[in-house]
Amino acid sequence: MVNVKKLKDRITSEEIKVIFSTLFGVEPMGENDDVIIYPTFCHNENVEQASSKLYYYKESKTFYCFTECHHSFDLIDLIISANKVRGIKKDFFEVIEDVISIVGFIDLDREETAGTGYESVKNYYSRKQLSIPYTIYDKNVLNFFPFFPHPSWLNEGISEETMKKYEVRFYISGNQIIIPHFDDKGQLIGIRARFLNPEDYAKGKYRPVTLEGKTYKHPVSQFCYGLWNSKEAIAMHKKAVIFEGEKSVLKAEKLPVNYSVACCGSNISKTQILQLISYGAKEITIAFDKEYANLREEQSTKYFDKLYSLADKYSLYCNMSFIFDFDNLLSEKDSPIDKGVETFDYLYRKRVHIK
């Protein structure tokens, strides 16, 4: 099989220009010693209407779109994305062959196998390592916070047992519910809190905790909250659900099987998707908070389009779906799990699948 890393490492900046010119008729809009600037053809079919905000960094050989994509790509990812915008469906292997045909790559160390390269996109991406550095903290710091199941969360249906399982604590002097974050190996990588004092809301209700001058933050977009607890269920059922917030994952413990995680925001990164795929997820369902009050409002259409676009963005990697409340069962700002197990189950069964 072709050594994909060797192929990408060998491609020069000049060959990048040839590849994009050949495949998409796209030419650079600027260049210096460090970057080549392209129109944002990653999400614009009409290049003439695109802005000059897609940057290729020569040293790292990566691309970054500074507009609505807000997304980084390697060469193969970018070609797949640009093809998709143009209605061209090509998988990972087909794109590799397109690149090879343009640059004339010959792998002298190529290993002949019975398969056609990597057996799946999952196996290819499972070989990727997280490139953003993060700190592993000493778990003993959690002993500073006593275990105290806060009444407000108990009243919302989060049990004391669940809070123990996820090591939820309480910061008495700060009046904060402490939410430790662990990586998929169970290592402490950050501590966030639900701030309960109204005067703290201006900076956000959910923020990293600062203790004795040290802030226990981490790149939340690069990890799936709860994965260390749900990875076995994901592997067994080949499914995963992505909520926005940590509290939804805790509430999902009431479900017969909890294969949920949280992205801790209103967007999902490629790294989070690939983490779930690496643990066996073949379908990933987006279960974000409801952003409209009434189905007849224009906002509901915009929200549907937002969810569809987000799910469609990753549909080449695995089966994607999303939950949309067609029956007005939820209130505005509700998570799909907020109204209980039966409502969630109904919404999940009626989820929208990306074809």
Side-chain angles (χ1 to χ4, degrees):
M1 63 184 177
V2 172
N3 186 319
V4 178
K5 183 179 186 304
K6 187 184 294 185
L7 168 65
K8 292 191 293 185
D9 287 346
R10 177 232 129 130
I11 291 175
T12 66
S13 297
E14 292 304 311
E15 287 174 324
I16 289 288
K17 298 175 187 177
V18 175
I19 290 169
F20 292 156
S21 177
T22 302
L23 293 179
F24 307 111
V26 176
E27 303 297 336
M29 301 180 76
E31 181 177 3
N32 59 35
D33 292 340
D34 300 315
V35 301
I36 303 175
I37 303 171
Y38 281 98
T40 53
F41 68 95
C42 48
H43 62 269
N44 282 301
E45 182 176 3
N46 188 340
V47 177
E48 294 181 357
Q49 296 179 353
S51 58
S52 55
K53 292 186 178 181
L54 177 63
Y55 281 57
Y56 173 66
Y57 294 90
K58 296 179 180 179
E59 183 175 349
S60 64
K61 294 181 180 288
T62 57
F63 299 83
Y64 193 85
C65 178
F66 285 91
T67 59
E68 57 261 41
C69 266
H70 194 56
H71 194 66
S72 60
F73 306 88
D74 67 10
L75 175 63
I76 309 305
D77 294 333
L78 179 56
I79 294 174
I80 290 174
S81 179
N83 274 332
K84 193 170 182 180
V85 168
R86 288 154 180 79
I88 303 169
K89 287 201 171 184
K90 289 196 174 184
D91 63 21
F92 175 81
F93 311 112
E94 291 172 313
V95 169
I96 290 293
E97 292 303 319
D98 286 345
V99 171
I100 290 173
S101 69
I102 294 170
V103 302
F105 175 74
I106 299 176
D107 185 2
L108 297 178
D109 299 323
R110 181 179 180 131
E111 178 183 348
E112 297 299 331
T113 66
T116 56
Y118 294 110
E119 68 181 45
S120 67
V121 174
K122 168 198 166 183
N123 285 352
Y124 164 63
Y125 280 112
S126 69
R127 289 159 169 77
K128 283 192 168 185
Q129 300 296 316
L130 183 65
S131 58
I132 296 178
Y134 63 98
T135 302
I136 297 174
Y137 298 106
D138 186 346
K139 281 187 179 181
N140 287 325
V141 70
L142 297 178
N143 294 330
F144 180 84
F145 309 104
F147 177 72
F148 171 68
H150 197 273
S152 64
W153 281 22
L154 289 172
N155 292 337
E156 290 191 51
I158 301 172
S159 70
E160 182 174 333
E161 180 182 2
T162 293
M163 291 191 224
K164 284 182 179 177
K165 179 178 179 179
Y166 286 81
E167 300 197 43
V168 174
R169 309 291 184 95
F170 191 70
Y171 189 8
I172 297 174
S173 62
N175 197 23
Q176 302 162 17
I177 299 174
I178 298 300
I179 312 168
H181 279 236
F182 304 93
D183 64 11
D184 55 339
K185 301 177 183 63
Q187 301 175 116
L188 181 66
I189 56 173
I191 307 174
R192 293 200 342 142
R194 169 58 164 96
F195 288 76
L196 300 176
N197 293 328
E199 60 268 25
D200 293 326
Y201 291 178
K203 295 181 180 179
K205 293 182 180 180
Y206 289 86
R207 287 183 278 123
V209 167
T210 298
L211 184 64
E212 296 180 346
K214 183 175 184 178
T215 301
Y216 291 83
K217 61 183 179 178
H218 71 293
V220 290
S221 66
Q222 301 301 303
F223 296 91
C224 294
Y225 173 81
L227 181 58
W228 74 95
N229 275 328
S230 63
K231 60 185 180 182
E232 291 182 6
I234 291 171
M236 180 179 295
H237 295 273
K238 310 299 181 187
K239 294 180 180 180
V241 172
I242 302 182
F243 291 110
E244 284 193 28
E246 300 102 324
K247 196 162 63 171
S248 295
V249 174
L250 304 182
K251 290 182 178 182
E253 281 292 310
K254 295 179 292 186
L255 297 170
V257 180
N258 186 7
Y259 39 72
S260 72
V261 298
C263 60
C264 299
S266 58
N267 200 1
I268 303 170
S269 72
K270 182 175 70 175
T271 301
Q272 290 168 326
I273 292 291
L274 299 180
Q275 283 175 351
L276 298 175
I277 292 173
S278 73
Y279 277 99
K282 292 186 177 179
E283 181 189 348
I284 298 174
T285 301
I286 300 169
F288 277 7
D289 298 352
K290 186 174 178 178
E291 292 185 1
Y292 60 92
N294 191 296
L295 191 63
R296 298 181 182 223
E297 295 177 348
E298 182 182 355
Q299 185 62 30
S300 71
T301 302
K302 292 181 179 179
Y303 185 57
F304 183 95
D305 291 343
K306 169 187 171 179
L307 293 177
Y308 190 99
S309 177
L310 184 57
D312 187 54
K313 180 178 181 180
Y314 298 113
S315 61
L316 279 175
Y317 299 140
C318 70
N319 295 320
M320 295 293 301
S321 59
F322 63 90
I323 288 176
F324 188 81
D325 181 16
F326 291 101
D327 300 292
N328 277 327
L329 300 176
L330 304 173
S331 301
E332 188 175 8
K333 298 185 180 179
D334 271 355
S335 164
I337 193 66
D338 281 350
K339 290 293 193 290
V341 171
E342 290 186 5
T343 298
F344 177 83
D345 183 61
Y346 177 82
L347 293 169
Y348 184 77
R349 284 187 281 109
K350 293 192 69 175
R351 66 194 183 278
V352 179
H353 295 269
I354 303 298
K355 303 296 184 183

